[in-house]
Amino acid sequence: LISDYMLGSLWCYAAIFAAALEANLAPSGHVLYVGLFAVFVVPLSLKDLADQKAVQTLLAFGRVVMLAVMLVTALTYLWSMGPIAPMPKRTGPFDGVAALAPVVTFSLVLHHSVPQIVAPVKVRSEFDKNVLFRRAFVGACLLYALFAAPVAYLFGEKTQSAANLGWATYHHVHDASDPRDALKTRLIAWLAQFVVLYPAVNVLATYPLNVITFGDALLAAHRRFQANGEVSATPPSRTSVRIARLVAAVPPLIGACIQPDISSVTNVTGCFGLFLCAVVPGVLSL
């Protein structure tokens, strides 16, 4: 289940990168964009996370800035001009929950990467680590809920599978030809391009992190199988680590070339995540 979830997550990240470039560049170059993505992420996946601390920290700050821009611009547009499109009609109070549940789960299942994230973090004690990640998880949940509601209300039935792509056509000027609004028009255009393109940069950091998690887990399972279920105290060779990470990194790239639809990938992957979160813990406690 975890392998299927990780495979789907990596598949989705590759599709997000290609979709972001398609929204701004040639719309028919999906396979080319996935190939460009591979050029960046595969070498990074072969490096340890400790070697990427500066890049990961910078990109994490950029994620917060992007979400803030999305939230502020969505609220500003709603306040001054109203929704772009009406919300889809609902047939009942729980209409859409079945589609929403796996996607929400997909966005919040982060714990599989905690060991790799913790390794280079210097804190005073295990208690500090627990507090650190508890606050990070709660903060991520609140941030998602805070920005998702106004964005969905703004775009309504025109909301795209990757919500940031809605900013490709975002404008907040009644008359773009009015010279008095020239500066405002340029500023909004720059912010919109940042929102559309930043996820493509962001997944360049997220993809290697998940490949490291997935590849190391595959290698550990393989070594345990070879040792008849026993855990080996000998660290794996660098070559075996790289092979395992290549096995984890390459198939999702091929999948993204074949099926680029982000909604389809997240729906299926989210079902695995929902099962892992809602069913597996209860079964293990029996």
Side-chain angles (χ1 to χ4, degrees):
L1 286 174
I2 294 178
S3 296
D4 292 331
Y5 177 81
M6 294 297 297
L7 178 64
S9 299
L10 294 169
W11 189 330
C12 183
Y13 296 145
I16 288 173
F17 180 89
L21 293 189
E22 282 185 304
N24 284 270
L25 304 176
S28 59
H30 182 83
V31 175
L32 177 63
Y33 299 145
V34 173
L36 178 64
F37 181 68
V39 170
F40 287 102
V41 298
V42 172
L44 282 174
S45 300
L46 302 180
K47 298 175 68 67
D48 291 330
L49 186 60
D51 300 329
Q52 307 176 34
K53 284 193 293 185
V55 175
Q56 293 287 352
T57 302
L58 180 62
L59 291 175
F61 176 75
R63 291 175 208 138
V64 176
V65 174
M66 184 197 72
L67 291 176
V69 171
M70 292 177 73
L71 179 62
V72 171
T73 53
L75 290 174
T76 303
Y77 197 104
L78 286 170
W79 177 264
S80 60
M81 302 177 71
I84 292 175
M87 295 291 288
K89 293 183 178 180
R90 301 174 61 187
T91 58
F94 299 103
D95 186 28
V97 173
L100 181 65
V103 176
V104 171
T105 305
F106 172 80
S107 66
L108 296 176
V109 176
L110 313 170
H111 56 270
H112 52 76
S113 293
V114 168
Q116 281 75 16
I117 297 174
V118 167
V121 176
K122 295 181 180 179
V123 292
R124 293 189 300 274
S125 65
E126 289 298 324
F127 173 78
D128 290 337
K129 290 182 180 180
N130 292 333
V131 172
L132 177 67
F133 279 93
R134 188 181 300 117
R135 291 175 179 175
F137 285 137
V138 172
C141 292
L142 292 176
L143 193 60
Y144 270 120
L146 184 65
F147 109 94
V151 169
Y153 185 60
L154 172 64
F155 292 103
E157 61 187 11
K158 292 186 177 181
T159 303
Q160 301 194 44
S161 56
N164 67 297
L165 297 182
W167 271 258
T169 56
Y170 179 91
H171 61 87
H172 190 216
V173 179
H174 292 283
D175 185 5
S177 62
D178 190 339
R180 293 173 297 178
D181 289 331
L183 179 60
K184 183 179 178 182
T185 301
R186 287 198 298 270
L187 177 61
I188 292 174
W190 292 336
L191 291 175
Q193 288 301 307
F194 170 72
V195 171
V196 172
L197 291 175
Y198 188 78
V201 179
N202 179 51
V203 293
L204 292 176
T206 308
Y207 194 95
L209 172 61
N210 282 270
V211 167
I212 292 170
T213 302
F214 188 21
D216 291 356
L218 290 176
L219 180 59
H222 176 69
R223 282 161 54 84
R224 191 163 185 171
F225 176 78
Q226 286 186 321
N228 297 321
E230 296 182 3
V231 179
S232 175
T234 305
S237 66
R238 188 62 186 166
T239 300
S240 61
V241 170
R242 288 179 174 176
I243 292 174
R245 291 180 183 177
L246 285 174
V247 170
V250 174
L253 297 171
I254 298 174
C257 293
I258 299 172
Q259 172 55 276
D261 184 47
I262 299 171
S263 295
S264 300
V265 178
T266 53
N267 285 340
V268 175
T269 306
C271 290
F272 290 113
L274 189 62
F275 191 82
L276 284 170
C277 293
V279 178
V280 172
V283 172
L284 294 177
S285 65
L286 295 177

